[in-house]
Amino acid sequence: MKKTGLRIAAVLFAFLFQITLKAQPMNTKENQNTSGIFPKGEKATQNFTGTAWVKTLVANDDTLTTIISDVVFEPGARNYWHTHPAGQILICTDGVGYYQEKGKPIQTLHAGDVVKIQPGIEHWHGASPTSSFTHIAINVNTEKGVVNWLKPVTDDEYNSK
Amino acid sequence: MKKTGLRIAAVLFAFLFQITLKAQPMNTKENQNTSGIFPKGEKATQNFTGTAWVKTLVANDDTLTTIISDVVFEPGARNYWHTHPAGQILICTDGVGYYQEKGKPIQTLHAGDVVKIQPGIEHWHGASPTSSFTHIAINVNTEKGVVNWLKPVTDDEYNSK
């Protein structure tokens, strides 16, 4: 009877190990802070606080006049206050993020959320303090301009949520 | 000693059950042919062959002049031949898809692929025969027009890959 118990344990252990292996790639992706769709881009070196990666999916041209980027923010990372002369659309694909327009409270964002940013509206976006965040950013009508960077988001502003 | 073996089995079983519960939502999403980011939209009732769902993420307006939709195609499903007067960008997020421009061979698409469709180019897109396919479709500069639908993609055309 001792053998039977140990045999059950062995079978369950083998099955468990198989399940763990299957689950591994998903966990790995989460640890890499990717959305699971695009590989991480270049580390942002200006106009960001904290660590973020920007991958250009569509470069600007005179025909489509659109720039599309995949942006991954580490927890606590955010971009500076800025405006878009022609507006921008954010499609949230992974993690938990923050979005704030000047004079309004911070909004929390999750995968599946879409943000329409109107032309000239001062705002910033980034990850929440405890989760990474990934969004696709779509700059439309780039013939009217792309972005005007302003001041960093202070810790007080970021922690006002 | 029999009790020890069974106790190990019980602990492993409890752990295994927990792992299985965690894995469940991912499998469920795959079975539903979603990209895991957006819920399925409305079933397409015209200009498509086979079954597809279209979810509008951004409706047209005079300021951003952009329409964004999440489209899920069942295996074998595709839209009709068509053109976009101002072009369109596809961001592939799940599954395996097909894209063809008139007079060119069918291209296979995977998650992470981005397609820039130039204005006026006759084309179609859809799932491959054996896999569902999800893409985000971005219609830019809609003030110039959105789409002109043409003829269905015949089975001979679809199977020419």
Side-chain angles (χ1 to χ4, degrees), chain A residues 78 81 100 106 124 152-161:
Chain A
R78 66 269 190 179
W81 288 101
Q100 185 178 27
I106 293 172
W124 63 270
V153 175
T154 66
D155 286 346
D156 278 354
E157 286 172 325
Y158 181 76
N159 292 320
S160 68
K161 172 80 184 173

Side-chain angles (χ1 to χ4, degrees), chain B residues 19-41:
Chain B
I19 293 282
T20 307
L21 277 179
K22 277 185 189 163
Q24 193 58 36
M26 295 175 192
N27 292 332
T28 305
K29 278 182 183 172
E30 277 177 14
N31 293 343
Q32 288 174 348
N33 292 334
T34 74
S35 68
I37 304 170
F38 308 104
K40 268 182 188 168

Side-chain angles (χ1 to χ4, degrees), chain B residues 8-154:
Chain B
I8 293 168
V11 168
L12 283 172
F13 186 77
F15 187 47
L16 171 68
F17 187 62
Q18 205 179 17
I19 293 282
T20 307
L21 277 179
K22 277 185 189 163
Q24 193 58 36
M26 295 175 192
N27 292 332
T28 305
K29 278 182 183 172
E30 277 177 14
N31 293 343
Q32 288 174 348
N33 292 334
T34 74
S35 68
I37 304 170
F38 308 104
K40 268 182 188 168
E42 296 295 312
K43 210 166 184 173
T45 54
Q46 50 187 354
N47 302 313
F48 281 72
T49 300
T51 303
W53 291 266
V54 180
K55 183 168 181 62
T56 302
L57 302 180
V58 174
N60 201 14
D61 68 48
D62 292 340
T63 306
L64 299 177
T65 64
T66 302
I67 300 170
I68 305 182
S69 308
D70 189 59
V71 186
V72 180
F73 300 87
E74 280 197 357
R78 67 266 189 180
N79 53 26
Y80 287 12
W81 288 102
H82 61 288
T83 62
H84 301 288
Q88 188 185 55
I89 297 160
L90 306 180
I91 297 178
C92 308
T93 57
D94 194 59
V96 184
Y98 277 2
Y99 170 75
Q100 185 178 28
E101 297 185 353
K102 198 81 175 181
K104 296 184 181 177
I106 293 172
Q107 295 175 45
T108 304
L109 301 175
H110 300 94
D113 287 341
V114 175
V115 182
K116 289 169 66 173
I117 304 166
Q118 299 300 313
I121 294 291
E122 192 172 334
H123 69 284
W124 63 269
H125 27 120
S128 63
T130 54
S131 170
S132 65
F133 178 56
T134 306
H135 67 50
I136 298 168
I138 302 166
N139 280 87
V140 299
N141 300 312
T142 57
E143 71 280 7
K144 297 179 186 171
V146 176
V147 59
N148 295 320
W149 290 109
L150 304 167
K151 288 181 183 175
V153 174
T154 67

